[in-house]
Amino acid sequence: MLNLTPKEIADRKALTINPCKTCQPVGALYCALGVHKCMPHSHGSQGCVSYHRTFLTRHFKEPAIASTSSFTEGASVFGGGSNLKTGMKNVFDIYNPDIIAVHTTCLSETIGDDVGSYIMDFDMPEGKLAVHTNTPSYVGSHVTGFYNMMSGFIKYLAESTGTKNGKVGIFPGFVNPGDIRELKRLAGLMEMPYIMFPDQSGVMDSPMTGNYEMYPKGGTTIEEITALGDAKHVLALGMFTSTEPANVLDRKCKVPYDVLPLPMGIEGTDELLMKMAQLSGTEIPQALEDERGQLVDVMLDAHFYHHGKKVAIFGDPDTVLGLTALVLEMGMIPKYVVTGTPGEGFEIKAKEMFAKFGMEGCKAKAAADLFDLHQWIKNESVDLLIGSSYGKQIAKAEEIPFVRAGFPVLDRYAHSYFPIVGYKGALRLVELITNALLDHFDRTCADEDVDVVL
Amino acid sequence: MKVKELVLNQYSGRVYKNRKDHIIEVEEGIDPVQPITANTRALPGIMTNRGCCYAGCKGVVLGPVKDVLTITHGPIGCGFYSWGTRRNKANVESGENFIQYCFSTDMQESDIVFGGEKKLRQAIDEAMSMFSPKGIFICSTCPVGLIGDDIHAVAAEAEEKYGITCVAFSCEGYKGVSQSGGHHIANNGLMRRVIGTGDKEINSKFKVNLLGEYNIGGDGWETERILKRIGYDVVSIFTGDGSFEDISNAHKADLNLVMCHRSINYIAEMMHTKYGTDWLKVNFIGIESTVQTLRDIAKFFDDPELYARTEEVIADELASIEEERAYYRTKLSGKTAALYVGGSRAHHYQSLLADFGVSTVLAGYEFAHRDDYEGRQVLDGLKEDADSKNIESITVEADPEKYRVFLTKERYEKLKNEIPLESYNGMIRDMKTGSYVVDDLNHFETEEFVRLLEPDIFFSGVKDKYVVQKAGVLSKQLHSYDYSGPYSGFNGSIIFARDLVMGLYTPAWNYVTPPWKNQSTLQAALAAGGEM
């Protein structure tokens, strides 16, 4: 496995090997799936959306719908305006969504298609809507595309009537339906009226009933997105994912916001709950304090399997930082912390976290790839790897226990139903991490070291 | 009303007009078979399952070549999505295996504005210094063609600088109407630059290449196992578990065995012209079709010992699966299936299903041309449209040194009538009256046909798998085999049948409807003395 990866690290400037990110449009598509009765539409050649639908379907094991402008060479030369208009008409005729969310591709961006004006010129059917965003694949990553699409929805739809509706907008970040359900549960326990945007729960985790619903019951409604303009506050979770759309909403509708880390681990969740308490004027209930206590209890119970263990974490910036926070709280050493998504802030933030826990010799890198990470591991190994399915190659090559978390997890089932946010999510991660370490030990240790008791 | 009309009538006028000729109901005894429209543009907005030119070139044909370092020149997405996702297995005892890696130039905005050639050149330098591969392929994505990067010039420079083979493929996603254009572009590049460049001595008696076998789930290995057992020497496989050296020596084979007619027929035809290599349409999917194929190949070589050995192996292989075959047939017989897959699979799998008594009610291809449906007989009358003209078609001539003919003229003429030599009769001829053929089956039509035809099993890809499964119908991926396989040859047929039986009989289907939907919980509570 990965036998050609050398231990010697050579400087690379042009060749990306085994990327730790993908392109903007897939993030935009996932965001749009979190809007009720929305058809995501990819303005480009049809291969893009074929790949994106495949990727999302494999992660969730759920249908991921999206249409395409099906560019040909002619459209690439003369512009994709007529393709988009025909495409939108066909989508409304055949698939009847309430709204189409158009995102661009590197193709339509390179030729400079003005999607906004195409939409304005489109003969919109009564009661239907379309929004768009620009998602050039040669800028940022899928995370960028995700928040660009959020911003697109906000720019088109959010409205301020001058009367606040008393709700708090929650921007959950690029997370799974299981996480969104957990965030809703927390908001419910905190008695805080909210608008979750986007909301893929009820869409990308829809139940088996024997009937296929193209538009399942979940998703943020158009009315809710409009009402974000009257929200009293926004909690933007994940600084690298949710800051921009919160900022766009604030500029458009004067909705103040707080940017919080993804609530992973104890401190992250504490911070979110205290902020929710402030906003809702509700005391944090005993039930949540009990959950927190249970988490701390288990962390103490099992600390000797965690403490001082070295971990490599890779994935999307906010998820990686959340995981880093948790492993630090568990007494582990986040030896390598990498994201493929470019941006300096990531490294600064990671280093602050290392410093806070007195960690030395830990490395953080943005715009990195998994080849970098693998070479680092070859030079100084770790006890645990956490990240997407693409980590399994490194885990196998170096015989490292591996926990899957983040995007994409293509080779396991049911993961997207369970949270990694909140105390419950942290408890689940503690279990996954502990089991991965112990399973590895049990499989590789001498017979006399197999203990039934722990 | 006929099913076809029921589906089509829901469309608007323009869509109706476009789609009506992509759908046919097979009528009895029509020859030539009914014409179908294929290989034309998908309508925007129609939710096609088709991919793009890059997917066909890099994803399908070039990706499986294990010892060539393939660089995707473009923004990160395309390289990322085509990394390790097709299940084309590859093994190396020694040497290089790049299959586990994804190489990309990850073009940024400045590369789009100022050109990406410099970055590509440097990427090649970095790849050479780290891996020293014997070959590099470069595959371009949409923006590369638009900004005019000359990847062919960069490849030529690299060849000169490093003394390797470096082939550039201009397979931008917008070219053509589907993956198909990309297959053609990949075929052209391999033909021009790789095939025929090898000089390995091969002295074995029955030398074949296996074309259009991508070793998904290990299919190629099962086929190769059977061929080797009989005594064939498999010189190269295009391109599953394929190696640069094997492909470069492909011209040393006596016969090309063509599995996927769509993705690789260009190479088969060009090798016939350039090297005199005959090609035979084969099908190793299905028990009876594998038997037939093995007998066809034996006829080509016409060797008494080979005939005997072929029958010996067939008898032995059949005996070894006999019991399981009979068992699975009892579980599957009478079921119906719909298939919507890529190249030739929608045809091939009908034989395998028939082996177990499963009949096909609908079959369609994602990116086929008319000859895949109607047979190569239609090729002469086919007119090229603008989209097809954008895909380069190369012509080759007989190689003065390497051209050789295996069959005598008389033998060739005789065999032409007995085995599918340089011929393919298409899928429709093998389909039952009243069944449906749908080209470029889209999301809407999938839902409608499943509802109207009620197949027991739907075979397709992952994008529509869960759409169909949610509707309560077993749905199996025929691109990735739902992570199982191999499905080819004798052993594969049993694995296939086992997977179907699992899918049809798994207990979870019984729990789709909760018990309280059919019985009142209120009554139960009353009977137990509950309060109202």
Side-chain angles (χ1 to χ4, degrees):
Chain A
M1 185 51 64
L2 299 177
N3 290 336
L4 303 174
T5 305
K7 189 178 170 192
E8 298 70 39
I9 297 172
D11 193 30
R12 274 184 298 131
K13 289 200 169 62
L15 187 67
T16 293
I17 310 173
N18 297 358
C20 182
K21 65 168 178 183
T22 180
C23 61
Q24 284 208 42
V26 74
L29 204 167
Y30 180 54
C31 170
L33 287 171
V35 174
H36 185 62
K37 282 205 85 175
C38 175
M39 176 68 84
H41 183 92
S42 161
H43 188 53
S45 46
Q46 62 206 6
C48 309
V49 84
S50 182
Y51 276 138
H52 302 148
R53 290 178 60 206
T54 298
F55 171 93
L56 291 171
T57 301
R58 284 180 171 151
H59 177 90
F60 296 101
K61 320 294 185 216
E62 292 288 321
I65 55 163
S67 53
T68 162
S69 291
S70 289
F71 268 54
T72 58
E73 197 147 358
S76 310
V77 175
F78 300 112
S82 78
N83 286 54
L84 183 61
K85 285 174 204 162
T86 310
M88 285 171 60
K89 181 179 176 348
N90 285 337
V91 167
F92 281 126
D93 280 355
I94 302 168
Y95 300 112
N96 195 31
D98 288 346
I99 183 169
I100 295 177
V102 184
H103 62 263
T104 57
T105 60
C106 44
L107 170 51
S108 52
E109 284 293 328
T110 304
I111 65 172
D113 262 0
D114 185 355
V115 172
S117 66
Y118 296 157
I119 291 176
M120 285 218 294
D121 293 345
F122 179 70
D123 187 12
M124 195 70 68
E126 183 70 31
K128 302 290 182 183
L129 292 167
V131 302
H132 94 278
T133 193
N134 294 88
T135 49
S137 316
Y138 42 78
V139 176
S141 75
H142 55 294
V143 176
T144 321
F146 182 86
Y147 67 66
N148 278 341
M149 191 76 250
M150 284 179 74
S151 302
F153 277 107
I154 291 166
K155 283 177 191 161
Y156 273 84
L157 301 177
E159 273 173 35
S160 165
T161 61
T163 312
K164 292 284 178 192
N165 56 26
K167 292 185 178 174
V168 174
I170 302 177
F171 295 174
F174 200 135
V175 294
N176 280 317
D179 297 308
I180 294 174
R181 286 181 189 275
E182 178 62 10
L183 291 171
K184 286 178 171 179
R185 192 181 68 92
L186 295 179
L189 287 166
M190 294 304 301
E191 297 170 6
M192 185 186 85
Y194 62 87
I195 296 170
M196 184 69 66
F197 172 65
D199 180 4
Q200 290 86 357
S201 69
V203 181
M204 298 310 284
D205 61 354
S206 64
M208 176 68 195
T209 60
N211 291 307
Y212 167 67
E213 299 286 344
M214 182 163 227
Y215 306 106
K217 59 187 172 195
T220 314
T221 62
I222 293 165
E223 294 72 30
E224 285 176 310
I225 302 174
T226 305
L228 278 174
D230 286 333
K232 70 170 179 184
H233 202 89
V234 159
L235 293 176
L237 307 184
M239 66 183 289
F240 298 99
T241 317
S242 300
T243 305
E244 172 70 14
N247 198 296
V248 168
L249 181 67
D250 187 24
R251 278 195 312 244
K252 186 177 179 192
C253 302
K254 300 274 175 294
V255 180
Y257 65 90
D258 281 299
V259 177
L260 303 179
L262 273 187
M264 298 174 68
I266 298 171
E267 289 188 20
T269 309
D270 290 349
E271 193 180 346
L272 174 67
L273 291 181
M274 288 191 285
K275 185 58 76 177
M276 283 181 168
Q278 241 178 49
L279 289 167
S280 67
T282 310
E283 293 277 321
I284 294 167
Q286 189 60 42
L288 284 174
E289 203 172 310
D290 287 350
E291 277 178 26
R292 187 183 187 280
Q294 289 169 331
L295 170 63
V296 178
D297 193 62
V298 173
M299 284 166 72
L300 279 169
D301 290 348
H303 74 271
F304 29 86
Y305 297 108
H306 309 141
H307 203 93
K309 294 281 196 308
K310 285 181 279 185
V311 196
I313 305 168
F314 67 93
D316 299 342
D318 288 314
T319 314
V320 168
L321 292 177
L323 289 162
T324 305
L326 175 70
V327 302
L328 282 166
E329 290 166 357
M330 292 167 74
M332 302 175 97
I333 302 165
K335 182 73 193 165
Y336 310 123
V337 170
V338 305
T339 182
T341 298
E344 283 173 10
F346 174 80
E347 290 172 22
I348 295 167
K349 197 78 201 160
K351 282 172 189 161
E352 279 173 20
M353 294 165 80
F354 299 157
K356 186 177 162 192
F357 282 81
M359 291 291 160
E360 281 170 17
C362 295
K363 281 200 218 183
K365 190 176 175 188
D369 57 31
L370 295 186
F371 194 77
D372 286 326
L373 179 62
H374 191 185
Q375 288 195 308
W376 292 354
I377 289 174
K378 275 189 178 295
N379 283 280
E380 187 181 344
S381 194
V382 291
D383 302 298
L384 179 72
L385 180 65
I386 308 178
S388 77
S389 290
Y390 288 92
K392 77 192 288 182
Q393 296 178 323
I394 298 173
K396 186 170 167 67
E398 307 302 328
E399 294 178 24
I400 304 170
F402 176 41
V403 169
R404 286 163 181 78
F407 276 84
V409 175
L410 309 170
D411 63 336
R412 288 295 184 271
Y413 294 84
H415 54 86
S416 57
Y417 291 82
F418 301 105
I420 56 174
V421 300
Y423 303 128
K424 286 278 187 212
L427 186 61
R428 173 165 170 257
L429 280 169
V430 170
E431 187 191 15
L432 288 172
I433 289 169
T434 313
N435 288 354
L437 292 168
L438 289 176
D439 284 345
H440 181 75
F441 176 81
D442 287 343
R443 253 197 317 273
T444 53
C445 70
D447 284 1
E448 62 270 27
D449 292 329
V450 175
D451 287 316
V452 177
V453 290
L454 290 175
Chain B
M1 213 188 298
K2 294 259 189 186
V3 167
K4 175 178 169 178
E5 297 307 318
L6 285 171
V7 175
L8 283 170
N9 283 346
Q10 300 178 63
Y11 281 136
S12 67
R14 280 176 68 183
V15 178
Y16 178 95
K17 195 162 162 264
N18 175 283
R19 288 298 302 158
K20 71 179 169 46
D21 298 327
H22 291 269
I23 305 176
I24 60 171
E25 183 185 339
V26 178
E27 292 174 25
E28 200 171 354
I30 302 181
D31 205 4
V33 294
Q34 296 141 277
I36 189 166
T37 298
N39 193 35
T40 57
R41 293 178 190 180
L43 285 172
I46 203 84
M47 250 215 270
T48 172
N49 275 320
R50 283 176 169 179
C52 66
C53 188
Y54 169 85
C57 182
K58 196 275 179 179
V60 174
V61 181
L62 301 179
V65 182
K66 61 192 172 190
D67 55 356
V68 171
L69 191 153
T70 301
I71 299 177
T72 298
H73 184 40
I76 198 64
C78 306
F80 177 80
Y81 301 117
S82 57
W83 171 28
T85 49
R86 285 251 315 152
R87 297 196 73 235
N88 29 245
K89 293 176 183 283
N91 215 339
V92 285
E93 274 154 28
S94 61
E96 290 140 343
N97 186 352
F98 290 108
I99 294 274
Q100 293 146 6
Y101 293 85
C102 163
F103 301 94
S104 169
T105 52
D106 186 15
M107 287 172 87
Q108 298 299 301
E109 193 155 24
S110 60
D111 304 314
I112 302 290
V113 175
F114 301 110
E117 285 176 24
K118 195 174 151 218
K119 194 169 193 187
L120 176 60
R121 220 171 271 127
Q122 194 178 341
I124 292 171
D125 289 342
E126 290 172 4
M128 286 308 300
S129 79
M130 260 182 294
F131 304 105
S132 333
K134 45 178 127 6
I136 290 182
F137 292 157
I138 302 162
C139 291
S140 54
T141 71
C142 291
V144 170
L146 298 172
I147 64 173
D149 274 1
D150 189 348
I151 60 168
H152 301 274
V154 175
E157 275 174 43
E159 292 202 326
E160 191 159 329
K161 187 170 177 185
Y162 294 110
I164 56 160
T165 302
C166 183
V167 192
F169 296 83
S170 292
C171 54
E172 288 84 358
Y174 55 77
K175 288 185 174 167
V177 299
S178 69
Q179 294 93 313
S180 180
H183 304 145
H184 198 159
I185 288 166
N187 276 228
N188 291 346
L190 291 177
M191 191 66 203
R192 267 197 190 119
R193 303 297 323 284
V194 187
I195 298 165
T197 59
D199 53 6
K200 192 173 155 191
E201 268 312 304
I202 304 175
N203 295 316
S204 47
K205 217 170 163 189
F206 312 114
K207 300 182 286 291
V208 297
N209 297 315
L210 189 53
L211 268 58
E213 171 51 71
Y214 302 103
N215 202 33
I216 289 168
D219 275 355
W221 289 333
E222 167 66 2
T223 303
E224 198 179 9
R225 179 189 71 80
I226 299 166
L227 288 169
K228 282 185 171 164
R229 242 194 114 185
I230 293 175
Y232 294 104
D233 181 3
V234 181
V235 178
S236 69
I237 300 184
F238 285 67
T239 51
D241 194 27
S243 80
F244 183 84
E245 194 193 352
D246 291 350
I247 292 172
S248 72
N249 284 299
H251 63 295
K252 302 280 174 83
D254 305 313
L255 179 66
N256 279 328
L257 308 176
V258 174
M259 268 300 276
C260 176
H261 178 257
R262 184 67 270 135
S263 61
I264 209 89
N265 62 325
Y266 316 97
I267 282 176
E269 287 165 39
M270 288 189 278
M271 283 184 71
H272 188 222
T273 310
K274 191 170 179 183
Y275 302 112
T277 321
D278 286 307
W279 67 267
L280 184 73
K281 179 69 187 78
V282 297
N283 180 13
F284 286 100
I285 301 293
I287 301 166
E288 295 304 325
S289 52
T290 300
V291 169
Q292 184 61 49
T293 284
L294 293 174
R295 287 179 178 150
D296 289 348
I297 306 170
K299 261 192 183 164
F300 177 86
F301 288 99
D302 197 32
D303 177 279
E305 272 178 44
L306 188 69
Y307 281 126
R309 182 66 186 150
T310 301
E311 292 307 323
E312 209 178 301
V313 169
I314 289 172
D316 186 57
E317 294 277 340
L318 287 178
S320 79
I321 60 167
E322 190 183 349
E323 207 175 309
E324 284 178 289
R325 180 187 181 179
Y327 168 74
Y328 287 123
R329 201 180 156 91
T330 63
K331 305 295 275 184
L332 294 169
S333 195
K335 304 284 182 197
T336 59
L339 305 103
Y340 176 62
V341 212
S344 293
R345 284 168 198 257
H347 184 189
H348 291 161
Y349 276 84
Q350 293 188 39
S351 335
L352 176 50
L353 288 163
D355 288 333
F356 293 99
V358 180
S359 59
T360 300
V361 292
L362 179 146
Y365 291 134
E366 206 173 302
F367 45 75
H369 300 196
R370 279 183 61 191
D371 43 318
D372 301 298
Y373 290 106
E374 301 169 55
R376 292 176 66 88
Q377 297 88 328
V378 296
L379 279 175
D380 285 342
L382 280 191
K383 281 197 195 121
E384 270 205 326
D385 62 9
D387 295 313
S388 303
K389 278 180 192 158
N390 285 338
I391 307 295
E392 188 190 15
S393 200
I394 59 172
T395 47
V396 293
E397 286 170 12
D399 187 300
E401 284 161 25
K402 294 168 188 161
Y403 187 91
R404 61 198 175 88
V405 176
F406 187 84
L407 298 172
T408 63
K409 201 163 185 317
E410 297 71 39
R411 179 77 190 150
Y412 182 83
E413 290 306 325
K414 184 172 183 297
L415 273 185
K416 269 294 266 181
N417 297 320
E418 296 175 13
I419 61 174
L421 203 54
E422 270 88 56
S423 82
Y424 176 49
N425 274 331
M427 176 174 80
I428 297 177
R429 277 186 181 78
D430 285 340
M431 292 187 64
K432 281 194 184 134
T433 302
S435 59
Y436 289 86
V437 180
V438 187
D439 176 66
D440 188 17
L441 181 76
N442 58 51
H443 189 288
F444 170 75
E445 290 164 12
T446 301
E447 273 193 78
E448 290 301 298
F449 276 112
V450 166
R451 188 170 64 80
L452 294 163
L453 298 176
E454 299 182 314
D456 296 302
I457 315 156
F458 186 84
F459 293 97
S460 186
V462 78
K463 292 193 292 286
D464 36 3
K465 176 185 170 81
Y466 299 104
V467 173
V468 175
Q469 185 179 294
K470 285 256 193 263
V473 176
L474 172 62
S475 181
K476 297 292 292 176
Q477 296 182 60
L478 268 197
H479 298 270
S480 69
Y481 304 165
D482 284 329
Y483 324 105
S484 177
Y487 284 168
S488 70
F490 299 103
N491 293 337
S493 69
I494 300 301
I495 296 171
F496 176 78
R498 181 203 66 193
D499 288 354
L500 287 197
V501 169
M502 277 201 283
L504 288 167
Y505 296 95
T506 192
W509 289 115
N510 302 328
Y511 302 109
V512 173
T513 309
W516 53 88
K517 293 281 181 194
N518 299 322
Q519 72 190 51
S520 166
T521 45
L522 196 60
Q523 270 177 4
L526 278 175
E531 282 176 31
M532 278 297 283

